[in-house]
Amino acid sequence: MTQSPQTNAKGFSKAFWVSNTVELFERMAYYAVFIVLTIYLSNILGFNDFEASMISGLFSGGLYLLPIFTGAYADKIGFRKSMIIAFSLLSAGYLGLGVLPTLLEAAGLVEYGEVTRFSGLADSSERWMIVPVLFVIMLGGSFIKSIISASVAKETTEATRARGYSIFYMMVNFGAFTGKTIIDPLRNAIGEQAYIYINFFSATMTILALLSVVLLYKSAHTAGEGKSMREIGQGFLRIITNWRLLILILIVTGFWMVQQQLYATMPKYVIRMAGETAKPGWIANVNPFVVVCCVSFITKWMAKRTAITSMNIGMFLIPVSALLMACGNLLGNEIISGMSNITLMMILGIVVQALAECFISPRYLEYFSLQAPEGEEGMYLGFSHLHSFLSSIFGFGIAGVLLTKYCPDPALFATREAWEAASANAHYIWYYFAGIGLVAAIALLIFAKTTESIDKKKKV
């Protein structure tokens, strides 16, 4: 059989590989910033734990809510134009995150160095300038959420789709790993100013992605482009009346509420509990490292199993991961000399969490892509991210409350002893998330059994 010039020897088109490459750049940019976003908001802009968590949660949530609409718009105007819009907005937004502190410092509200010195910023309305900056990033990122995963759907066949999403998810996590490695060496070198300069790295990555799309991306699959708004509305109605997809989204939200704690709770938790020398960037990198190493193997291993079966296995791993994280505060002497038990058990918990992700995420995207009619991939894959909107809002919101209650900011206490007394039960945070994960796992098991029974009756 003669191959199309757009298709390489392994059965994937040039557009598929360009899509995955720009996803790599985008994830490097996003995770370099997002791993320390709550710290940036607190240490650079002066927001308290709850405010920082809510701003981060709304930002992350918006990134996953807007793809429902930007995905439909991307189907209309085409993926190439959509990617150009997306990476232009992202580049402007990340530059804004880097420039904003300079403007605040010039206004005499703060002085940045190895340690930030506030001079009225915490009481100033000018720090809220962060909101439009984050909105620009949120809008640009929302295009990417639907476009890249939908492009993978368009550029693969039924035979290559599972492998295509495995490659896509490996690139996502390789980007996440690489982005997170930047922050800790930078923090060691220049202190808290690292939370400012990391944004310029992210802007560079999205500019490279923009150039890659302009110069290299061209897809032969254009079905759906030029749709009327009425046709888009009809497609949207088909999605929101699909009860299976809606229930699955709600269930998987439980998994992602636990997963969000890599960014909502973990960075502040390990720095406060294990000390300022803790490296949250490296700890968080355990997740993408394990995923990159294992996702292809697990996808092949589960290839003959249904997507729901694979997801069920992952869902029952997630409460185990949260319980392991809780153990760090319960153990006595250091198990590994020179490594805090907080750090050790956090790493072990994240390993299990990453394995759960390998079973769940690629197959979840595959499940959604198979529901999408031709020409509506962007809309359906945009809608698939609704679980992350819900988990961001609730996950970050709960994290802000739990951090304030069980692991508060040491700066709020007159003595170290007073803080230690207030944070003695910091590990309770992870019990809450273990409970959420367990409820979600049981719900998915019931969902699988129920839908299997319904499908069998339809075949009779």
Side-chain angles (χ1 to χ4, degrees):
M1 180 177 177
T2 305
Q3 290 181 322
S4 162
Q6 285 288 315
T7 304
N8 66 22
K10 292 188 176 180
F12 294 115
S13 66
K14 180 179 177 181
F16 170 87
W17 292 111
V18 174
S19 296
N20 277 279
T21 301
V22 298
E23 177 72 3
L24 171 67
F25 289 141
E26 191 275 331
R27 292 290 83 185
M28 288 170 66
Y30 175 75
Y31 280 107
V33 168
F34 195 57
I35 184 62
V36 291
L37 181 58
T38 58
I39 301 178
Y40 172 93
L41 291 168
S42 294
N43 293 27
I44 301 300
L45 300 184
F47 291 100
N48 64 36
D49 280 347
F50 183 73
E51 290 170 337
S53 289
M54 287 309 300
I55 293 170
S56 299
L58 290 168
F59 165 70
S60 178
L63 274 171
Y64 294 102
L65 178 64
L66 289 178
I68 297 172
F69 309 102
T70 53
Y73 187 64
D75 284 331
K76 179 178 175 61
I77 67 173
F79 288 177
R80 186 174 187 276
K81 289 180 182 177
S82 299
M83 287 188 200
I84 290 172
I85 292 171
F87 287 118
S88 298
L89 289 171
L90 287 170
S91 299
Y94 287 129
L95 285 171
L97 286 181
V99 170
L100 176 59
T102 303
L103 299 178
L104 297 173
E105 190 171 32
L109 295 169
V110 63
E111 182 181 339
Y112 297 112
E114 284 198 29
V115 178
T116 304
R117 292 179 175 83
F118 294 106
S119 306
L121 180 60
D123 301 315
S124 170
S125 61
E126 292 188 42
R127 62 181 179 160
W128 291 98
M129 290 167 62
I130 190 65
V131 173
V133 175
L134 287 176
F135 182 79
V136 170
I137 298 174
M138 184 172 72
L139 186 59
S142 72
F143 272 99
I144 295 301
K145 292 295 177 193
S146 57
I147 297 168
I148 305 299
S149 53
S151 180
V152 172
K154 280 195 173 191
E155 301 297 331
T156 55
T157 64
E158 187 173 345
T160 62
R161 187 157 293 168
R163 187 159 58 95
Y165 275 110
S166 176
I167 293 170
F168 163 75
Y169 210 70
M170 188 165 62
M171 296 291 271
V172 167
N173 282 276
F174 187 74
F177 178 88
T178 308
K180 292 172 194 173
T181 60
I182 307 297
I183 187 63
D184 285 327
L186 194 59
R187 190 164 65 99
N188 290 340
I190 59 175
E192 291 188 343
Q193 278 187 302
Y195 306 131
I196 300 172
Y197 289 117
I198 194 67
N199 298 292
F200 295 114
F201 163 81
S202 294
T204 302
M205 293 301 101
T206 52
I207 290 169
L208 285 175
L210 175 62
L211 292 173
S212 299
V213 172
V214 170
L215 298 174
L216 300 172
Y217 184 85
K218 185 177 181 181
S219 176
H221 303 279
T222 57
E225 291 182 22
K227 281 188 171 187
S228 68
M229 292 308 295
R230 182 180 179 182
E231 290 172 318
I232 290 172
Q234 290 171 342
F236 185 71
L237 187 62
R238 283 194 292 274
I239 298 175
I240 62 174
T241 54
N242 188 324
W243 66 269
R244 288 194 185 195
L245 296 185
L246 289 174
I247 292 174
L248 184 61
I249 285 169
L250 290 175
I251 293 170
V252 173
T253 295
F255 161 73
W256 281 103
M257 283 179 68
V258 183
Q259 194 78 333
Q260 293 284 12
Q261 301 319 304
L262 278 177
Y263 313 100
T265 297
M266 188 276 290
K268 288 182 176 179
Y269 182 86
V270 297
I271 288 175
R272 291 171 186 177
M273 299 300 294
E276 287 293 329
T277 57
K279 301 184 184 302
W282 282 105
I283 294 171
N285 257 338
V286 172
N287 179 279
F289 177 78
V290 173
V291 171
V292 168
C293 292
C294 299
V295 67
S296 181
F297 169 76
I298 289 175
T299 302
K300 289 178 182 178
W301 181 39
M302 299 299 294
K304 294 183 179 180
R305 305 275 184 164
T306 66
I308 293 294
T309 300
S310 180
M311 291 166 62
N312 260 315
I313 295 171
M315 291 293 279
F316 277 99
L317 289 174
I318 204 67
V320 176
S321 75
L323 290 175
L324 286 171
M325 293 173 186
C327 289
N329 201 34
L330 298 173
L331 300 173
N333 296 329
E334 289 182 351
I335 295 174
I336 298 177
S337 179
M339 178 184 287
S340 163
N341 287 336
I342 295 288
T343 297
L344 174 63
M345 299 312 296
M346 187 63 64
I347 289 171
L348 292 177
I350 292 172
V351 167
V352 175
Q353 193 179 82
L355 291 173
E357 193 173 336
C358 291
F359 281 100
I360 295 171
S361 289
R363 303 305 298 273
Y364 175 79
L365 291 174
E366 178 193 348
Y367 185 93
F368 255 83
S369 71
L370 291 173
Q371 313 300 312
E374 187 176 7
E376 294 182 6
E377 293 89 350
M379 187 188 304
Y380 271 73
L381 270 298
F383 194 79
S384 75
H385 292 292
L386 183 60
H387 65 77
S388 289
F389 163 72
L390 296 171
S391 66
S392 294
I393 298 299
F394 293 114
F396 274 84
I398 292 171
V401 172
L402 295 178
L403 278 169
T404 301
K405 182 176 177 62
Y406 295 111
C407 188
D409 187 347
L412 300 175
F413 295 84
T415 64
R416 177 73 182 180
E417 290 73 18
W419 174 80
E420 287 176 351
S423 59
N425 295 320
H427 57 285
Y428 282 15
I429 293 172
W430 304 109
Y431 293 157
Y432 284 87
F433 291 110
I436 290 168
L438 182 59
V439 170
I442 293 170
L444 184 61
L445 190 62
I446 294 170
F447 173 84
K449 295 294 184 184
T450 304
T451 53
E452 183 182 3
S453 175
I454 291 171
D455 290 341
K456 282 182 179 178
K457 288 178 181 178
K458 285 182 179 179
K459 290 179 181 179
V460 175

